[in-house]
Amino acid sequence: MHTTKSDPVTMVVTAHPAPGNQKEWEETLTNTIQASLKFPGHLGTTVLKQESTRKPTYQIVLRFDQLENLERWKNSPEREHWISKLHALEHCPPAITHNTGLETWFELTHHDEQQPVEPPPKYKIAVIVWIAVYASVIPVINLIRPHMTELHFLISSAITTSITVPLMTWVMIPLLSWLLKGWLYPENRKT
């Protein structure tokens, strides 16, 4: 995928705190996230924790509005300070990937391996996004349409999309990705 400097970018870090260091590692991660929030273009951080009998796995998803702002954070002395503290508490070096576009919604899977997992084929992404859009838009339109009959079409459309886009992004896509992970990642079911 061709990326321009103005495209939003996502950095996904898969990390494994060393046994006995988990609480201190989590506290250090919280401080790292707090430091990153002060940087321009930071769009949010999500931390997913998967308990494992072998080792706990954390996936940290950082989103920035453009590559330049992510690079500013990555090259900052603040990040270097906190990352060195995290690395001292980790079982092994973290796996890091950078992505743009819709495939970042499907990058996170529930596996213990450190190797990055390939995103699903584009046709599977299209099917999941279509289901998410359909399941988000139809109920919202039917619920709020009676309350917006007096509003101009552009205003009512803006209200509708301001509800459906977050619903699709943070509820429907993650839920569908989890429910259909066997179909999205069939090769990983064998491992």
Side-chain angles (χ1 to χ4, degrees):
M1 172 180 277
H2 185 291
T3 305
T4 66
K5 287 188 174 187
S6 61
D7 287 337
V9 63
T10 301
M11 184 168 82
V12 180
V13 180
T14 302
H16 307 279
N21 290 341
Q22 191 170 346
K23 184 177 180 190
E24 186 179 353
W25 185 90
E26 287 177 354
E27 291 169 358
T28 306
L29 177 63
T30 299
N31 291 330
T32 306
I33 293 169
Q34 292 299 321
S36 72
L37 291 172
K38 298 174 185 169
F39 278 71
H42 191 281
L43 299 176
T45 300
T46 303
V47 179
L48 303 172
K49 177 181 175 183
Q50 177 189 357
E51 288 294 341
S52 167
T53 54
R54 292 185 295 168
K55 59 188 173 190
T57 300
Y58 291 77
Q59 290 183 315
I60 303 102
V61 183
L62 290 93
R63 289 184 172 82
F64 278 83
D65 63 347
Q66 57 184 323
L67 183 60
E68 181 181 350
N69 286 330
L70 173 62
E71 292 297 329
R72 185 176 291 127
W73 160 245
K74 284 177 54 183
N75 297 321
S76 70
E78 294 93 335
R79 180 181 179 272
E80 182 59 38
H81 168 77
W82 291 110
I83 294 301
S84 65
K85 289 181 175 265
L86 283 170
H87 288 341
L89 300 168
E90 290 171 344
H91 173 68
C92 54
I96 300 173
T97 60
H98 297 83
N99 301 294
T100 61
L102 293 177
E103 73 273 8
T104 60
W105 280 338
F106 302 94
E107 187 68 25
L108 303 177
T109 60
H110 302 288
H111 299 281
D112 284 335
E113 296 86 19
Q114 271 197 270
Q115 292 79 23
V117 177
E118 288 296 314
K122 291 197 182 293
Y123 80 90
K124 290 185 179 183
I125 292 174
V127 169
I128 297 291
V129 170
W130 178 82
I131 294 169
V133 169
Y134 188 81
S136 301
V137 171
I138 299 301
V140 169
I141 287 175
N142 287 324
L143 286 172
I144 66 174
R145 183 181 301 167
H147 306 288
M148 297 193 306
T149 55
E150 301 295 321
L151 296 177
H152 187 275
F153 170 74
L154 293 176
I155 294 172
S156 64
S157 296
I159 293 169
T160 302
T161 56
S162 70
I163 296 168
T164 57
V165 170
L167 177 64
M168 183 187 80
T169 303
W170 288 294
V171 177
M172 296 306 298
I173 294 282
L175 178 64
L176 289 167
S177 298
W178 178 76
L179 289 173
L180 300 174
K181 65 185 170 189
W183 177 66
L184 290 168
Y185 306 94
E187 68 280 358
N188 295 317
R189 295 181 76 184
K190 300 171 190 170
T191 59

